[in-house]
Amino acid sequence: LREPAAVSMKKRLPWLIVLLFLGMGVSSVVGIFESVVAVLPIVICFQSLVLDMAGNVGTQSLAVTIRVLMDENLTLKEGLLNGGCLGLMALAGLGVYIHVCKGYAWGPAFLISGCVGVSLVVAMVISSLVGTMVPMLFHKIHIDPAVASGPLITTVNDLVAVVTYYGLALLFLVNMFHL
């Protein structure tokens, strides 16, 4: 059954407007970390990696949750296991890449890749939780999870990933490289 464009737009446009403003908020948060990029420009190279992986996990969790709406045992363990595996792979692979291709010494290269790896673990655990809990919440309050969940999860995951990644870079890398 196909719904008229006006009905579909009425369902989706309010969410897109809310998400436009939330996206502006995410952009503002990225702007807060300009000092990190100024001191250590290489961190910008891996921002999309962290955001994309958080988004991918959130989207997978959303799809599974909508299909099996009451599977509450899925989230933390799966997100932690996936995040841990990908975090270790990022640590090793990016450490070698940063050393060989970007000319950083081994120690700093692995500190940077470690920041990316830890960010992936944290962002993926939180994203799997968000990807599961948001549609369940919407289902309970009688909002169609298929319409509202995806875009909201993407925006929330972007915010979590940006704060996690740049926050860790600020805490653990900037002071070391700024000396």
Side-chain angles (χ1 to χ4, degrees):
L1 230 25
R2 197 158 204 231
E3 66 185 10
V7 172
S8 180
M9 185 177 161
K10 185 178 177 184
K11 285 181 185 176
R12 295 181 180 157
L13 187 59
W15 287 106
L16 293 173
I17 292 169
V18 167
L19 294 168
L20 173 66
F21 288 100
L22 287 174
M24 288 179 195
V26 171
S27 296
S28 297
V29 170
V30 172
I32 291 170
F33 293 104
E34 285 179 26
S35 63
V36 173
V37 177
V39 172
L40 196 58
I42 194 168
V43 297
I44 198 81
C45 298
F46 307 111
Q47 173 185 314
S48 64
L49 172 70
V50 176
L51 268 69
D52 287 351
M53 290 309 297
N56 293 342
V57 168
T59 301
Q60 284 180 339
S61 296
L62 166 65
V64 170
T65 302
I66 286 179
R67 199 173 55 218
V68 186
L69 209 61
M70 293 303 158
D71 186 2
E72 297 178 19
N73 298 322
L74 170 75
T75 58
L76 185 60
K77 186 176 180 181
E78 183 180 332
L80 187 59
L81 290 173
N82 285 334
C85 288
L86 291 168
L88 288 172
M89 291 173 68
L91 172 68
L94 292 178
V96 171
Y97 167 78
I98 293 167
H99 172 72
V100 172
C101 297
K102 299 294 185 181
Y104 283 75
W106 283 110
F110 278 100
L111 284 172
I112 294 166
S113 69
C115 180
V116 174
V118 171
S119 297
L120 281 172
V121 172
V122 172
M124 290 177 72
V125 167
I126 293 171
S127 295
S128 70
L129 287 170
V130 170
T132 301
M133 300 311 285
V134 167
M136 289 172 64
L137 172 69
F138 283 170
H139 178 72
K140 287 183 189 216
I141 61 173
H142 306 291
I143 295 175
D144 181 3
V147 173
S149 296
L152 180 60
I153 289 167
T154 300
T155 305
V156 169
N157 288 343
D158 284 351
L159 180 61
V160 167
V162 162
V163 169
T164 301
Y165 179 53
Y166 284 115
L168 288 172
L170 179 64
L171 289 172
F172 297 111
L173 299 177
V174 168
N175 290 331
M176 186 188 86
F177 286 93
H178 198 29
L179 298 175

